[in-house]
Amino acid sequence: MDWFKNSSKQSSSLQIRGRSSTAHPSPHVSKGKQIVQGHGEVFTHFISLPLAIYSELKQKVETFRNSILGNDQHKKPLKFQSTLDEMGIEKSMFISPNSLHLTVVMLKLENKEAVNAAQDILKSVSASVRHALDNRPVFIRLKGLDCMNESLEKTRVLYAPVGEVGGEGRLLKACNIIIDAFVNAGFAGKDAKSRLKLHVTMMNATYRRDKSKGMTFDAREIHKEFGRKDWGEYLIREAQISKRFWYDSTGYFHCCGSLPFPH
C-alpha cells in the first residue's frame, strides 16, 4: 500500500492512505446490517490501535483457536472438545489474527467529506496525543480472558484484558483526547468516553454464521483452560481510522488515515 500526505494540509505526524483497489468488504456481512451497533447508532468506521502487526500475538491467537477446535495435532485434545456444539462454539466465532486490534471509538462517517474531516481531526490532536503520552513509547500487556457480561455460561464476547505497562494511564489519556475530538465534531456518540473499554476480542457470538444458535455461548471451560494465559507485551505504534468490514491485502481493516505514536 502506498502512503501519502494530505495535500491540502501537510503534516509530518499524520499519514493518510487513500482507498486501494485491494480493499474489499467482508463476504460474510450484509451491507444492510453491517453498520448498526450498540444503541441503534450507525457506525461506518472506528479508531483502531492495530495489533495484527505482531506475528507473535497472531500465532498465539491462532494456537488458542486451534487448541479449542481440536486442530492442533501436536497437543493432546482438550477435555471439552467433544461438547463444543453444546457449548455453542464454532470456528466462525473466533477473531481473525489478521484483524487483531483495540477499539478507541466508533465513528459515523457517511461520505468522503466526513472521512476527510476525520483525517483533519486526527491531525489536529496529534500534539495533544503526544503530550498525553509524554512523547514516550507506550506498551500494553494482554493477560487472561474475561467476558463482557457477568456470566461466562452465557457470554457474547470473550476478550483479553488490556493493561498499560507501567500503569501510568498515558494510553487512556491519549484515547480520551481522541474520543473528545470526535464527539465534539459529531462523529461519535456523546457517551463514547464512558463506553471506552480497551480489550482484544478473541471470540464473539455475533460472528456466528448459524444465527439459530443464539447470541451467546458457554465459555466456562475455555476460561478454565486459558483464563490466566499471558498473551504478551506490545508497543502501540499508531492509531488508525479504520473502515468497518473492509479489509486490505493484509487482512486488516482498510485504513483511511493514521496518527503515529512515539516509538
Side-chain angles (χ1 to χ4, degrees):
M1 301 296 295
D2 294 328
W3 290 86
F4 61 95
K5 297 177 183 177
N6 189 328
S7 58
S8 61
K9 296 181 180 180
Q10 294 278 330
S11 171
S12 61
S13 56
L14 178 71
Q15 299 171 309
I16 305 299
R17 176 160 56 187
R19 180 171 176 176
S20 165
S21 60
T22 61
H24 57 87
S26 166
H28 308 304
V29 180
S30 168
K31 275 195 171 183
K33 299 180 180 179
Q34 70 181 29
I35 58 175
V36 179
Q37 176 174 310
H39 304 292
E41 297 108 328
V42 177
F43 298 117
T44 59
H45 298 69
F46 65 103
I47 299 297
S48 74
L49 306 179
L51 293 174
I53 57 175
Y54 295 108
S55 58
E56 175 190 350
L57 178 58
K58 290 169 65 175
Q59 182 60 52
K60 288 182 178 180
V61 172
E62 186 171 355
T63 299
F64 166 74
R65 178 185 61 192
N66 289 338
S67 296
I68 294 172
L69 296 175
N71 296 332
D72 192 337
Q73 299 178 353
H74 302 291
K75 290 189 177 182
K76 183 179 179 180
L78 300 175
K79 294 180 180 179
F80 59 81
Q81 282 176 351
S82 61
T83 61
L84 291 182
D85 191 55
E86 290 85 346
M87 295 165 64
I89 294 172
E90 61 181 60
K91 183 178 179 180
S92 61
M93 295 166 54
F94 292 82
I95 190 171
S96 166
N98 292 327
S99 62
L100 290 166
H101 68 280
L102 306 180
T103 296
V104 177
V105 61
M106 304 301 298
L107 304 175
K108 181 180 180 181
L109 308 175
E110 296 183 306
N111 50 46
K112 183 178 179 181
E113 289 71 23
V115 172
N116 290 340
Q119 293 170 348
D120 288 339
I121 290 169
L122 199 59
K123 182 187 304 181
S124 72
V125 300
S126 174
S128 297
V129 167
R130 294 187 69 88
H131 179 73
L133 295 173
D134 197 27
N135 285 305
R136 292 184 286 124
V138 60
F139 290 82
I140 61 165
R141 184 180 185 185
L142 307 177
K143 187 172 183 180
L145 287 174
D146 205 346
C147 60
M148 285 297 181
N149 52 319
E150 295 181 357
S151 172
L152 282 167
E153 183 179 2
K154 294 183 178 181
T155 189
R156 181 177 61 86
V157 176
L158 194 66
Y159 66 90
V162 175
E164 179 183 323
V165 176
E168 299 176 79
R170 293 183 295 127
L171 181 58
L172 183 60
K173 290 178 183 178
C175 289
N176 283 333
I177 289 171
I178 294 172
I179 292 172
D180 283 341
F182 283 101
V183 169
N184 292 337
F187 290 136
K190 293 182 179 180
D191 62 344
K193 186 182 290 186
S194 65
R195 292 167 65 180
L196 175 63
K197 184 181 181 67
L198 293 177
H199 65 280
V200 177
T201 297
M202 295 295 172
M203 298 176 66
N204 191 330
T206 63
Y207 299 164
R208 183 185 282 139
R209 294 182 183 178
D210 185 356
K211 304 301 182 183
S212 66
K213 294 183 179 180
M215 300 302 289
T216 63
F217 63 99
D218 188 343
R220 289 176 296 178
E221 294 300 321
I222 295 175
H223 190 267
K224 288 180 183 178
E225 187 72 25
F226 300 98
R228 296 183 178 180
K229 183 174 179 61
D230 189 344
W231 304 92
E233 295 184 5
Y234 304 96
L235 171 68
I236 300 299
R237 301 185 66 88
E238 64 179 356
Q240 290 189 5
I241 302 174
S242 298
K243 186 171 183 178
R244 296 187 70 202
F245 305 110
W246 283 74
Y247 302 92
D248 287 336
S249 58
T250 61
Y252 194 71
F253 300 95
H254 180 59
C255 177
C256 301
S258 70
L259 176 62
F261 282 15
H263 60 268

